[in-house]
């Protein structure tokens, strides 16, 4: 696979690393050739989420979008564009949140008597 698209190249690596299959071209029909079966499809969706941050819900799956590496790359790009841009908390913010929760696990303000 000799394509300039970096997403397609990363997808090719997913197939080699997870399925031990080198997809011949970006336009190879993964279902028609038997490269991808239903069990591998589930693993592929998991890998798309892990490697690209592309969460594809069952309601939004169209098998034609998953038929070739080129189509999967377009789906990944569309999913990335549609995803809201949210800032991830820093590790110190996470630690602070955990410390606050340990002090007050109910999540409600602590009441003091006095």
């Amino acid at each position: 696979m000799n394509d300039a698209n970096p997403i397609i190249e990363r997808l090719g690596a997913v197939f080699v690393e997870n399925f031990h299959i080198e997809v011949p071209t970006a336009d190879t029909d993964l279902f028609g050739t038997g490269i991808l079966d239903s069990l591998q499809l589930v693993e592929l969706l998991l890998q798309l989420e892990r490697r690209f941050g592309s969460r594809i819900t069952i309601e939004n799956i169209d098998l034609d979008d998953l038929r070739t590496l080129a189509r999967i790359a377009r789906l990944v790009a569309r999913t990335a564009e549609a995803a809201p841009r949210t800032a991830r908390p820093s590790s110190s913010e996470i630690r602070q949140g955990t410390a606050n929760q340990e002090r007050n696990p109910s999540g409600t303000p602590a009441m003091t008597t006095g």
Side-chain angles (χ1 to χ4, degrees), residues 40-105:
Q40 291 167 323
L41 177 61
V42 174
E43 178 65 22
L44 175 63
L45 293 173
L46 176 66
Q47 290 303 321
L48 292 177
E49 184 173 343
R50 283 184 178 164
R51 294 178 186 231
F52 298 96
S54 297
R55 180 119 172 97
I56 303 168
T57 61
I58 296 297
E59 299 84 32
N60 295 333
I61 291 179
D62 181 350
L63 287 182
D64 281 340
D65 288 336
L66 301 170
R67 192 162 292 282
T68 68
L69 293 184
R71 289 180 181 184
I72 297 169
R74 285 192 296 269
L75 176 64
V76 166
R78 278 195 321 263
T79 304
E81 289 172 2
R85 304 280 185 221
T86 57
R88 296 184 118 180
S90 68
S91 59
S92 62
E93 290 172 324
I94 292 170
R95 282 193 299 272
Q96 182 63 36
T98 303
N100 287 340
Q101 190 175 16
E102 288 172 359
R103 279 183 263 154
N104 188 8

Side-chain angles (χ1 to χ4, degrees), residues 1 5-17 47-48 50-53 69 76:
M1 185 173 1
N5 187 331
I7 295 175
I8 292 174
E9 290 176 9
R10 288 177 62 193
L11 287 168
V14 168
F15 275 83
V16 169
E17 293 167 16
Q47 290 303 321
L48 292 177
R50 283 184 178 164
R51 294 178 186 231
F52 298 96
L69 293 184
V76 166

Side-chain angles (χ1 to χ4, degrees), residues 17-28:
E17 293 167 16
N18 291 282
F19 309 124
H20 309 290
I21 298 168
E22 190 164 332
V23 180
T25 70
D27 295 317
T28 298

